[in-house]
Amino acid sequence: QVQLVESGGGVVQAGGPLRLPCAPAGRTPYTGTLGWLRQARGKERELVARISGSGAITYYADSGKDRFTISRDNATNTVYLRIVGLKPEDTAVYYCAAGHLFATMPQQFTSWGQGTQVTVSS
C-alpha cells in the first residue's frame, strides 16, 4: 500500500551534481524511514543512505559516504538524494524504499519504488 515514486534519473556527465527525489504518494503518504539503494548492472543491490521519518537521523553506508547527501522536505514529504562529483561507477538503478530505522540490507526494506536509471557518461 506504500507508494513511492522516484524520478530525476537520466544520462548525466561525470563530475556534475544530481538530485533524485522520492515522493511518497497515495491517500495517506508514507512518512516513515526511507532509504536510497542502488543496483549496478551485474552487482548486488546495496544501501546508499537512509533517513528517519523526522529527518533527524541519517545513515550512510560505505557506498554513500563523501559524495552523497540524503535530506527530507517535511513540507512536501519528499526525500532527496543528492550526488556530487558523479563518477562512471555511480551508474546504476537507484531505488527509494521504505524500511525500519535500522535497515541496512535490501531485504529489510518492505516497500519499493520502481527505480530510476542513472547513467554517468565518461
Side-chain angles (χ1 to χ4, degrees):
Q1 294 180 346
V2 175
Q3 299 178 24
L4 304 170
V5 181
E6 309 102 323
S7 60
V11 179
V12 294
Q13 293 186 346
L18 182 67
R19 188 176 71 166
L20 305 176
C22 172
R27 180 179 178 182
T28 306
Y30 176 77
T31 58
T33 298
L34 281 170
W36 274 102
L37 302 92
R38 68 181 182 181
Q39 186 168 21
R41 188 175 184 179
K43 296 184 178 180
E44 297 288 328
R45 189 172 299 183
E46 62 180 1
L47 176 69
V48 177
R50 61 163 146 78
I51 189 167
S52 64
S54 68
I57 303 173
T58 58
Y59 172 85
Y60 296 90
D62 288 342
S63 61
K65 293 179 179 177
D66 298 328
R67 299 182 295 107
F68 296 77
T69 302
I70 191 167
S71 62
R72 178 184 292 274
D73 185 338
N74 292 323
T76 62
N77 197 33
T78 301
V79 171
Y80 298 92
L81 180 70
R82 186 165 183 83
I83 314 169
V84 298
L86 284 163
K87 300 178 179 180
E89 52 262 43
D90 293 323
T91 296
V93 177
Y94 285 73
Y95 297 91
C96 181
H100 61 74
L101 185 60
F102 304 105
T104 57
M105 303 294 290
Q107 61 266 35
Q108 294 175 312
F109 292 84
T110 56
S111 299
W112 297 76
Q114 293 185 350
T116 184
Q117 174 71 48
V118 174
T119 301
V120 182
S121 62
S122 60

